[in-house]
């Protein structure tokens, strides 16, 4: 039961990431985004994944409970994509500043 509750938590946290990634891709700017927030979320997922690998009871039953880690990896992938888009968008912001083009 605890794994099911954990999955509900992870799915709840991760449900918005695909929409956030699409928004970052389309926005082409870092305005309204926080790099520190993204890094903290990424670090949190790394810690969650590490805790699973270090939990002997979980690893002993991994073949039956692999799906819990799947959701951690799915979420960290989405946050990673959003971080990459942040880097792209930051470069686009700098390019706009240098050319004086506020519209693109």
């Amino acid at each position: 039961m605890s794994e099911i509750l954990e999955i509900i938590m992870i799915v709840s946290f991760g449900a918005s990431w695909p929409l956030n990634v699409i928004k970052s891709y389309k926005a082409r700017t870092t305005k309204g985004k926080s790099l520190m927030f993204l890094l903290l979320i990424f670090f949190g997922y790394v810690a969650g994944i590490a805790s699973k690998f270090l939990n002997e009871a979980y690893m002993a039953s991994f073949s039956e409970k692999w799906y819990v880690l799947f959701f951690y990896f799915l979420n960290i992938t989405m946050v990673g994509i959003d971080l990459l888009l942040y880097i792209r968008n930051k470069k686009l912001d700098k390019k706009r500043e240098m050319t004086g083009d506020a519209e693109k």
Side-chain angles (χ1 to χ4, degrees):
M1 182 63 172
S2 67
E3 289 88 9
I4 299 299
L5 293 173
E6 186 175 14
I7 289 172
I8 291 170
M9 178 200 66
I10 294 296
V11 169
S12 296
F13 287 169
S16 63
W17 284 115
L19 297 173
N20 200 34
V21 165
I22 291 168
K23 182 180 175 187
S24 293
Y25 180 77
K26 289 180 177 180
R28 301 178 63 87
T29 183
T30 58
K31 292 179 177 141
K33 297 288 279 189
S34 169
L35 179 59
M36 184 59 68
F37 175 78
L38 289 173
L39 291 173
L40 284 170
I41 296 294
F42 192 86
F43 177 74
Y45 283 127
V46 168
I49 290 167
S51 76
K52 290 297 180 194
F53 283 119
L54 295 174
N55 183 326
E56 291 180 25
Y58 176 79
M59 292 308 291
S61 61
F62 181 76
S63 64
E64 298 169 6
K65 299 179 181 180
W66 60 268
Y67 53 87
V68 176
L69 260 178
F70 170 80
F71 288 103
Y72 276 98
F73 279 109
L74 181 63
N75 285 355
I76 200 170
T77 299
M78 288 291 153
V79 177
I81 292 169
D82 207 24
L83 279 166
L84 292 173
L85 287 170
Y86 183 93
I87 294 167
R88 178 201 74 161
N89 291 346
K90 189 71 169 174
K91 289 178 183 178
L92 291 172
D93 286 343
K94 285 183 182 181
K95 184 177 177 182
R96 279 190 291 275
E97 286 176 18
M98 290 179 69
T99 62
D101 189 4
E103 294 298 314
K104 289 188 178 178

